[in-house]
Amino acid sequence: MVAIPSWAGAGSAMASFFFVWAIVRNHMPKELHFFISTTFRKAFSFLNPFNHIKLHEYDGKHMRKDELYSAAEAYLSSACLEHARRLKAELRRKNDRPFITIDEYEEVTDTFCGVTVWWHASKQLPISTTTVSNMEERRFYRLSFHKRHRNLIENDYLEHVLTKGRAIIARNRQRRLFTNIGGVSRSMVWSHVDFEHPATFDSLAMEPERKKAIMDDLVIFREGKEYYKHVGKVWKRGYLLYGPPGTGKSTMIAAIANFLEYDVYDLELTAIKNNTELRQIFLATTAKSIIVIEDIDCSLDLTGERKDKKKKKYKDETQAPPSKAIEEVDITNKVTLSGLLNFIDGLWSACGGERIIIFTTNHIEKLDPALIRRGRMDMHIEMSYCTFDAFKVLAKNYLGIENHPLFDSIKELLLDVKVSPADLAEGLLKNSGIKDVDVYLQNLIKNLNKSKEEAKKNAKDMVAN
């Protein structure tokens, strides 16, 4: 009869081996210990069919959170959360819903192109056992996969996780409104507040066809990274918003920011000393952002009439021209047109991507043609007086109606009366206490007729004079 080997005996032999090995290695030369350990690891690696990639929470200096780790955390919270048994929740910002992701020492699976991978959340505890500080704990993700899929994971899957994770972070983050600080320092050039403007394209008083054209253009830009790279252009786009005051230029900027989910940088040119400081401020902006210069015609003397003004100022021979030293100081302490153009589409504009630049003006005729030509301000958007289609949007937003018998009279009046959407909206707010829609619309018609008569009277007076 053949004797069956005893597993208990084998276990005892292994325990004895490891006990003896622990004693021997303490007296073993370091070179020999390194050789034996390396040999064991190579043998185990040969038998183990899996590869592993670690994603640490912080960089090597343990000071800055690693972007790939953050993207993986966001990706797992969206794509793999349903497979996890242990979760953790935390508030990422004030008054926000909890951010939920997998807890430490939890493992989830994911599938990419038919290949299964394993994510394991873990952390490295401090070496010292006397004091345990949360600041000393280093969290990381370990990504495991079969070694035959290594090229797919390294070249495609990690990029997939990074792209999806970045999109989730951008969608969930608190967007910000920045303004440049006067007396800029190298460490801090922008201050910011939370951007919480409620404007959307649905609430924007503008014709539906024009809104759709703008939204389609924005979508093409947002999804055009590879196209811009292919044609050799910087991934940016310029929009010029022009029209009378109160026609919704600032509201349009807020609607674009909410539509794209971008941060907004409100650039005050008069607070910038020179072109060098302008470049420094520009380099401190981030991708997925809108850089706004409102009332560009009032910010600086950047119109095409600058040279004529300078000649006119000193044409009187009795007035002494400025000294050379004063001229040099004047030049070095101002943002010039050429400096601004380089900021928009020169070499410095290539430092970063996915940026939108918006200028607003009430007087487009005052701007230098070089500043607003196509390629710099790619799309010119006229913000006009209120049309009937724009009024219908306001009526829906403020009164909750989409049609009314009095609309025909209002439509005819808006063809003759120049009234801004802001004025109509203000009138809606003032009459918000009127519950009878008929009464409000009758009052509106009365006011429009009054404005029409005043406009006729003013026109007659001008002709008489």
Side-chain angles (χ1 to χ4, degrees):
M1 186 174 181
V2 179
I4 300 176
S6 172
W7 289 107
S12 177
M14 291 180 65
S16 300
F17 169 78
F18 285 115
F19 176 75
V20 173
W21 168 249
I23 296 175
V24 171
R25 71 177 182 179
N26 290 332
H27 300 85
M28 185 183 300
K30 292 182 179 180
E31 293 79 4
L32 180 60
H33 177 252
F34 176 78
F35 173 77
I36 296 175
S37 299
T38 304
T39 303
F40 271 109
R41 281 197 298 270
K42 287 182 178 179
F44 179 75
S45 177
F46 179 78
L47 297 174
N48 182 15
F50 291 95
N51 290 150
H52 308 278
I53 297 177
K54 270 188 178 182
L55 282 67
H56 290 278
E57 182 178 15
Y58 292 95
D59 59 12
K61 296 181 180 180
H62 196 56
M63 293 293 292
R64 185 178 59 184
K65 197 162 186 177
D66 184 76
E67 185 181 8
L68 183 56
Y69 178 93
S70 298
E73 184 179 44
Y75 174 81
L76 294 175
S77 69
S78 174
C80 306
L81 205 60
E82 61 181 14
H83 304 303
R85 292 173 297 176
R86 294 187 299 273
L87 307 173
K88 65 178 180 180
E90 56 185 354
L91 286 176
R92 289 294 175 90
R93 62 181 186 268
K94 187 178 180 181
N95 297 328
D96 193 14
R97 63 181 183 179
F99 177 78
I100 301 175
T101 188
I102 62 176
D103 199 6
E104 280 84 4
Y105 307 114
E106 176 69 351
E107 186 176 84
V108 293
T109 60
D110 189 25
T111 303
F112 179 74
C113 295
V115 175
T116 300
V117 299
W118 293 264
W119 288 92
H120 183 82
S122 188
K123 61 182 178 182
Q124 181 179 350
L125 296 175
I127 298 176
S128 173
T129 58
T130 56
T131 59
V132 178
S133 171
N134 290 332
M135 295 300 293
E136 294 176 345
E137 294 178 356
R138 299 194 178 189
R139 297 186 296 176
F140 63 88
Y141 288 117
R142 185 176 69 247
L143 173 62
S144 302
F145 51 91
H146 200 284
K147 59 185 180 182
R148 67 170 173 265
H149 303 304
R150 180 168 179 172
N151 288 335
L152 176 69
I153 301 303
E154 292 182 354
N155 298 328
D156 299 318
Y157 180 65
L158 286 179
E159 183 177 352
H160 167 75
V161 170
L162 182 61
T163 301
K164 294 293 184 181
R166 281 173 171 170
I168 295 169
I169 292 172
R171 187 167 59 248
N172 295 334
R173 69 188 172 91
Q174 175 63 56
R175 289 178 295 110
R176 295 172 291 182
L177 172 62
F178 293 84
T179 184
N180 53 303
I181 304 172
V184 63
S185 65
R186 291 185 177 274
S187 59
M188 185 176 182
V189 296
W190 295 98
S191 64
H192 67 83
V193 296
D194 291 344
F195 182 78
E196 297 176 342
H197 200 292
T200 64
F201 276 101
D202 289 336
S203 63
L204 191 66
M206 179 181 281
E207 297 82 353
E209 297 79 9
R210 294 183 64 206
K211 286 196 286 189
K212 185 178 184 303
I214 296 169
M215 294 166 67
D216 290 344
D217 190 78
L218 292 170
V219 170
I220 293 173
F221 167 79
R222 182 176 58 190
E223 300 175 356
K225 180 179 181 180
E226 294 303 322
Y227 171 78
Y228 277 82
K229 183 179 180 181
H230 175 72
V231 299
K233 293 186 63 177
V234 178
W235 191 14
K236 66 173 186 61
R237 193 154 179 82
Y239 294 89
L240 174 67
L241 309 182
Y242 67 97
T247 50
K249 294 184 285 294
S250 296
T251 304
M252 170 66 80
I253 294 171
I256 292 174
N258 287 327
F259 180 73
L260 295 176
E261 298 177 335
Y262 283 7
D263 289 330
V264 178
Y265 288 84
D266 185 14
L267 183 60
E268 179 55 59
L269 286 179
T270 56
I272 302 175
K273 295 178 180 178
N274 49 43
N275 294 335
T276 302
E277 189 171 293
L278 178 64
R279 289 194 294 268
Q280 182 181 344
I281 288 175
F282 176 72
L283 291 174
T285 62
T286 61
K288 293 184 181 295
S289 63
I290 300 172
I291 302 172
V292 179
I293 303 179
E294 293 199 88
D295 297 320
I296 182 68
D297 53 303
C298 301
S299 296
L300 291 175
D301 188 11
L302 297 172
T303 69
E305 301 175 354
R306 289 187 308 153
K307 292 182 179 179
D308 294 335
K309 288 180 180 179
K310 186 175 180 180
K311 290 179 181 179
K312 183 178 179 181
K313 184 176 180 181
Y314 300 110
K315 67 178 182 179
D316 186 356
E317 295 181 357
T318 60
Q319 183 180 5
S323 66
K324 184 176 181 181
I326 294 178
E327 286 184 343
E328 290 178 353
V329 172
D330 186 62
I331 292 174
T332 57
N333 288 331
K334 284 188 177 181
V335 175
T336 64
L337 177 60
S338 61
L340 186 60
L341 296 181
N342 194 32
F343 159 80
I344 298 171
D345 67 349
L347 292 176
W348 286 97
S349 67
C351 300
E354 199 171 0
R355 288 185 176 92
I356 285 178
I357 300 174
I358 297 180
F359 290 166
T360 72
T361 180
N362 296 334
H363 305 283
I364 188 173
E365 69 280 358
K366 291 184 178 181
L367 298 181
D368 193 305
L371 187 65
I372 59 175
R373 68 165 176 80
R374 307 292 177 172
R376 289 187 176 126
M377 294 293 104
D378 303 284
M379 191 174 189
H380 294 189
I381 302 173
E382 182 179 6
M383 308 298 292
S384 61
Y385 289 109
C386 193
T387 63
F388 178 66
D389 286 332
F391 164 76
K392 289 176 66 176
V393 175
L394 293 174
K396 181 179 179 181
N397 293 341
Y398 288 85
L399 303 178
I401 59 174
E402 296 186 13
N403 205 351
H404 194 277
L406 294 176
F407 274 13
D408 291 337
S409 299
I410 296 173
K411 182 178 181 179
E412 291 181 5
L413 285 168
L414 288 176
L415 293 174
D416 300 325
V417 180
K418 292 182 178 180
V419 56
S420 70
D423 289 335
L424 281 182
E426 181 63 23
L428 287 164
L429 285 174
K430 287 182 178 180
N431 293 275
S432 59
I434 300 177
K435 296 182 179 180
D436 191 339
V437 175
D438 291 345
V439 174
Y440 168 73
L441 293 179
Q442 289 169 2
N443 290 338
L444 176 61
I445 292 173
K446 180 180 178 181
N447 292 331
L448 289 175
N449 277 315
K450 183 178 178 180
S451 299
K452 182 177 179 180
E453 293 301 322
E454 290 178 354
K456 287 182 178 179
K457 182 180 179 181
N458 293 335
K460 289 181 179 180
D461 292 342
M462 290 181 64
V463 171
N465 294 330

